[in-house]
C-alpha cells in the first residue's frame, strides 16, 4: 500500500502509488494520445520522448458505469479505473490489475466541493489508507481553456504548493485530422508516472462527462459550497 506523500519541493523519496518501478530519479516527459474517433472512444496511448509506448488505456464495457484498464507497454493490466456507481461527486476508484475488490483499491478521486461551481475542474485524490479523507493526498487543478487555447492541469501534493506533475494539451492540424488529442505531461523526479497517467485519464473522463451533460441541458449537480480538499 502506498505511503502518504511527504514533499519538500521535489519528492525526496519515491512516491510509489501504483508501483515503484514507475518512479524515475529524473523528470520524465510523456505524450498521452487520446483516440477520439467514435470506435475508439476512451482509448489512449502513452509514449516517452523517443516514441516508445509505455502504457495503453483501454475502454472496457461495464453496465451502467464507465471503466478503463491501464496496461503496460506489453499489454499487461496494471490498474483498473472505474467510476463508482451512484456517486454524486463523480468519484472514480482505481484498483490493482483487473480487480474491483475493495481490498485491491489503490486510490480514489472525486470532484472537490469547490470544483462544482468553478470554471476549472478540481479533483481531490485519496490513497486507499486515507480512510477518513479529512485531507486529500493529492490535488488536481485543471486550468480553464478558451477556443484554440490548450487546456492544462497541475497536480499538487496534498494541500501544499508542491507540484508533482503538469500537463498541457497540444493539438496540431495533423492530430485533429487523425482524430487524436495530444496531452504532454512532465512528471517530477521520484513521482509514480503510472499514477499520474491514471489521474489524467480520470480528469479527462470527468470533463467529457460534464461537457456532455451541459450540452444536453443537464446541470452540474450537488455538492456544498466552500473549498479545500477532504470530506464530502
Amino acid at each position: 500500500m502506498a505511503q502518504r506523500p511527504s514533499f519538500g519541493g521535489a519528492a525526496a523519496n519515491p512516491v510509489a502509488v501504483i508501483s515503484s518501478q514507475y518512479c524515475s530519479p529524473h523528470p520524465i516527459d510523456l505524450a498521452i494520445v487520446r483516440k477520439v474517433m467514435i470506435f475508439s472512444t476512451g482509448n489512449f496511448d502513452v509514449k516517452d520522448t523517443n516514441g516508445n509506448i509505455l502504457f495503453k488505456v483501454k475502454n472496457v464495457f461495464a453496465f451502467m458505469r464507465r471503466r478503463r484498464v491501464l496496461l503496460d507497454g506489453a499489454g499487461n493490466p496494471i490498474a483498473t479505473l472505474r467510476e463508482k456507481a451512484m456517486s454524486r461527486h463523480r468519484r472514480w476508484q482505481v484498483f490493482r490489475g483487473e480487480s474491483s475488490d475493495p481490498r485491491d483499491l489503490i486510490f480514489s478521486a472525486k470532484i472537490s466541493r469547490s470544483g462544482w461551481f468553478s470554471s476549472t475542474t478540481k479533483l481531490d485524490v485519496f490513497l486507499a489508507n486515507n480512510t477518513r479523507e479529512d485531507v486529500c493526498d493529492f490535488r488536481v487543478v485543471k486550468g480553464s481553456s478558451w477556443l484554440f487555447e490548450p487546456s492544462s492541469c497541475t497536480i499538487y501534493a496534498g494541500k501544499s504548493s508542491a507540484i508533482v506533475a503538469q500537463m498541457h494539451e497540444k493539438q496540431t492540424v495533423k492530430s485533429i485530422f487523425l482524430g487524436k488529442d495530444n496531452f504532454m505531461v512532465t512528471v517530477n523526479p521520484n513521482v509514480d508516472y503510472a499514477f499520474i497517467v491514471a489521474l489524467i485519464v480520470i480528469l479527462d473522463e470527468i470533463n467529457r462527462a460534464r461537457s456532455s451533460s451541459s450540452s444536453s441541458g443537464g446541470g452540474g449537480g450537488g455538492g456544498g459550497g466552500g473549498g479545500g480538499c477532504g470530506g464530502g
Side-chain angles (χ1 to χ4, degrees):
M1 185 174 292
Q3 291 183 328
R4 299 287 296 275
S6 177
F7 287 81
N13 299 307
V15 180
V17 177
I18 291 179
S19 174
S20 60
Q21 75 182 88
Y22 303 118
C23 295
S24 169
H26 309 289
I28 184 168
D29 293 319
L30 302 174
I32 302 179
V33 182
R34 183 181 69 190
K35 303 172 185 178
V36 295
M37 304 301 283
I38 294 175
F39 57 82
S40 62
T41 298
N43 290 354
F44 295 79
D45 287 340
V46 182
K47 302 179 181 181
D48 62 17
T49 53
N50 295 317
N52 300 311
I53 294 180
L54 301 180
F55 306 107
K56 290 178 176 287
V57 180
K58 295 297 184 182
N59 184 8
V60 178
F61 176 77
F63 182 68
M64 295 295 290
R65 68 178 68 180
R66 288 171 292 163
R67 184 172 178 171
R68 305 287 180 264
V69 176
L70 177 64
L71 311 169
D72 65 16
N76 302 306
I78 299 171
T80 295
L81 292 60
R82 189 183 69 172
E83 184 181 32
K84 187 176 181 180
M86 308 298 289
S87 171
R88 65 191 180 98
H89 292 285
R90 290 195 170 131
R91 181 185 289 263
W92 280 72
Q93 297 173 308
V94 178
F95 301 87
R96 296 199 179 279
E98 295 180 284
S99 176
S100 58
D101 190 317
R103 292 173 296 181
D104 293 320
L105 179 68
I106 304 173
F107 70 91
S108 63
K110 67 181 182 67
I111 299 177
S112 69
R113 287 174 293 178
S114 60
W116 285 107
F117 304 101
S118 172
S119 60
T120 61
T121 301
K122 300 180 179 68
L123 300 184
D124 292 341
V125 182
F126 304 94
L127 300 182
N129 59 354
N130 184 0
T131 54
R132 295 185 61 178
E133 298 189 353
D134 292 330
V135 179
C136 59
D137 297 295
F138 297 89
R139 288 179 297 130
V140 183
V141 179
K142 179 185 180 295
S144 58
S145 60
W146 302 89
L147 189 63
F148 304 125
E149 180 183 337
S151 60
S152 63
C153 81
T154 303
I155 301 172
Y156 298 91
K159 297 179 69 175
S160 76
S161 59
I163 295 173
V164 298
Q166 290 182 296
M167 179 275 287
H168 67 273
E169 186 175 4
K170 181 180 180 182
Q171 284 193 337
T172 64
V173 172
K174 181 179 179 181
S175 68
I176 294 172
F177 177 76
L178 293 175
K180 297 179 179 180
D181 281 345
N182 295 334
F183 303 90
M184 303 304 298
V185 185
T186 298
V187 183
N188 282 347
N190 294 323
V191 175
D192 185 337
Y193 52 89
F195 165 62
I196 299 301
V197 169
L199 285 181
I200 291 173
V201 172
I202 291 171
L203 178 66
D204 182 70
E205 287 292 332
I206 290 175
N207 278 320
R208 290 199 296 135
R210 296 181 79 180
S211 177
S212 176
S213 176
S214 298
S215 63
S216 63
C229 62

